[in-house]
Amino acid sequence: MTDLSTTLGRLTLKNPIMVASGTFGYAREMEGIVDIPRLGAVLPKTITAEPRIGNAPWRTVETSAGLLNAIGLDNDGVDAFLENHLPYLRTLETAVVVSVAGRTQDEFVSLAERIGNEAGVAAVELNLSCPNVSGGIDFGTDANSCRNVVEAARRSCKVPILAKLTPNVTRIADIAQAASDGGADAVCLINTVLGMAIDWRRRKPMLGNGMGGLSGPAIKPIALRCVHQVASAVNIPIIGIGGIATIDDVMQFLVAGASAIQIGTANYYDPTVSTRLVDQLPAALSELGATGVAEIVGTLGK
């Protein structure tokens, strides 16, 4: 019998296949397509303290190997989330990890405290790395700021804390170490890579925001590098994100050092990919002679 469970600090999941925030709606939208209870965890769309209308269009642009987005954290705010979405999310037979984003440390702490004390929330993901809003990556690019916000959120929030980090830094291991020092149960690597698309005939950016976050297959090598670097330098569980669409992708991230993964862009063009990967995981582990996920995490070069 293959043990698919994985442990991320104080958070234990039935399997390592998660879906990334912003790519799975509030889960209700996917219930007729995806067998949600089979997933390790779902992450609904990132929420903020106040409602946000997001950025001007265009908000997404397809590229040759991925997707540029500049949504701008469009959401109805925490009050609407608690009233309209969390009651449904509580009914799901899998872990619910709620992603939050704040403009200030106090906003992050307040959101983590409110969400973390609600029934049905397994963990809080601090989105320290959104490139599409003003100040969105400030806490993910400065080690002291990262440590301080994680530490303050950890003190105020009773559930596990995950810190989602940006690759748009010189040394991501330094930021991951700061998150670990602040008490994060795990780090999520990576958020999107800053990029842009240009309409040369009009001589204007194609995204209304000018620049946006690149996701999808193009960023997988970057994400793998970040996971490996952090796993080699920091003693904290890692959730790998970036261009994951096949079982080979999943296994590469696990071997590189991730204890779980999140599916993002692939949800848009293949909504059932997440459960298919759960089905394929036991056979892939068996190829390595492993009977559980934990046996292969971080075994690159061993």
Side-chain angles (χ1 to χ4, degrees):
M1 185 69 176
T2 306
D3 181 8
L4 297 185
S5 66
T6 190
T7 300
L8 305 165
R10 295 172 292 159
L11 177 65
T12 298
L13 305 179
K14 64 179 112 179
N15 66 65
I17 309 300
M18 312 167 73
V19 288
S21 63
T23 68
F24 208 70
Y26 292 101
R28 192 193 305 267
E29 301 92 324
M30 308 296 283
E31 66 179 356
I33 304 170
V34 180
D35 188 2
I36 295 175
R38 301 195 57 237
L39 300 178
V42 297
L43 285 88
K45 186 171 177 57
T46 297
I47 59 170
T48 54
E50 303 295 333
R52 290 183 58 93
I53 62 172
N55 292 325
W58 290 356
R59 293 182 173 190
T60 61
V61 174
E62 289 189 41
T63 73
S64 56
L67 179 71
L68 275 169
N69 93 83
I71 305 299
L73 298 181
D74 180 353
N75 76 104
D76 295 331
V78 64
D79 291 334
F81 174 80
L82 294 176
E83 180 179 352
N84 301 324
H85 299 296
L86 187 56
Y88 167 77
L89 291 165
R90 287 191 183 109
T91 69
L92 301 179
E93 297 176 23
T94 191
V96 175
V97 178
V98 180
S99 173
V100 302
R103 294 169 297 181
T104 65
Q105 178 173 308
D106 288 344
E107 275 195 5
F108 269 109
V109 172
S110 176
L111 286 164
E113 183 175 18
R114 288 191 67 183
I115 297 297
N117 286 300
E118 290 284 343
V121 175
V124 169
E125 180 185 77
L126 304 180
N127 185 351
L128 305 173
S129 49
C130 180
N132 306 316
V133 296
S134 177
I137 64 171
D138 291 352
F139 295 99
T141 56
D142 180 80
N144 288 332
S145 296
C146 179
R147 182 182 63 251
N148 291 339
V149 72
V150 170
E151 185 175 42
R154 174 71 185 257
R155 285 197 303 265
S156 301
C157 180
K158 67 180 183 181
V159 300
I161 294 286
L162 315 178
K164 188 171 185 179
L165 305 183
T166 177
N168 303 306
V169 294
T170 303
R171 281 182 49 84
I172 195 167
D174 292 344
I175 310 299
Q177 184 62 62
S180 177
D181 292 343
D185 289 84
V187 289
C188 305
L189 310 174
I190 55 177
N191 209 324
T192 54
V193 177
L194 193 60
M196 70 184 303
I198 293 174
D199 181 337
W200 64 268
R201 290 182 175 87
R202 296 172 62 236
R203 288 179 277 192
K204 290 184 177 181
M206 295 180 71
L207 289 171
N209 196 52
M211 292 181 286
L214 178 65
S215 62
I219 74 166
K220 193 186 90 171
I222 299 170
L224 282 171
R225 182 264 298 174
C226 290
V227 168
H228 175 60
Q229 286 181 324
V230 170
S232 300
V234 181
N235 186 25
I236 188 172
I238 298 167
I239 300 167
I241 316 167
I244 301 171
T246 70
I247 192 61
D248 290 328
D249 298 333
V250 173
M251 297 298 287
Q252 289 167 20
F253 273 87
L254 294 177
V255 168
S259 295
I261 59 91
Q262 291 181 15
I263 308 295
T265 302
N267 288 319
Y268 294 128
Y269 61 84
D270 187 3
T272 62
V273 62
S274 51
T275 50
R276 187 165 64 253
L277 295 177
V278 174
D279 289 337
Q280 294 171 346
L281 189 53
L285 290 170
S286 180
E287 280 193 51
L288 296 182
T291 59
V293 170
E295 294 176 35
I296 69 163
V297 171
T299 56
L300 185 66
K302 298 179 181 178

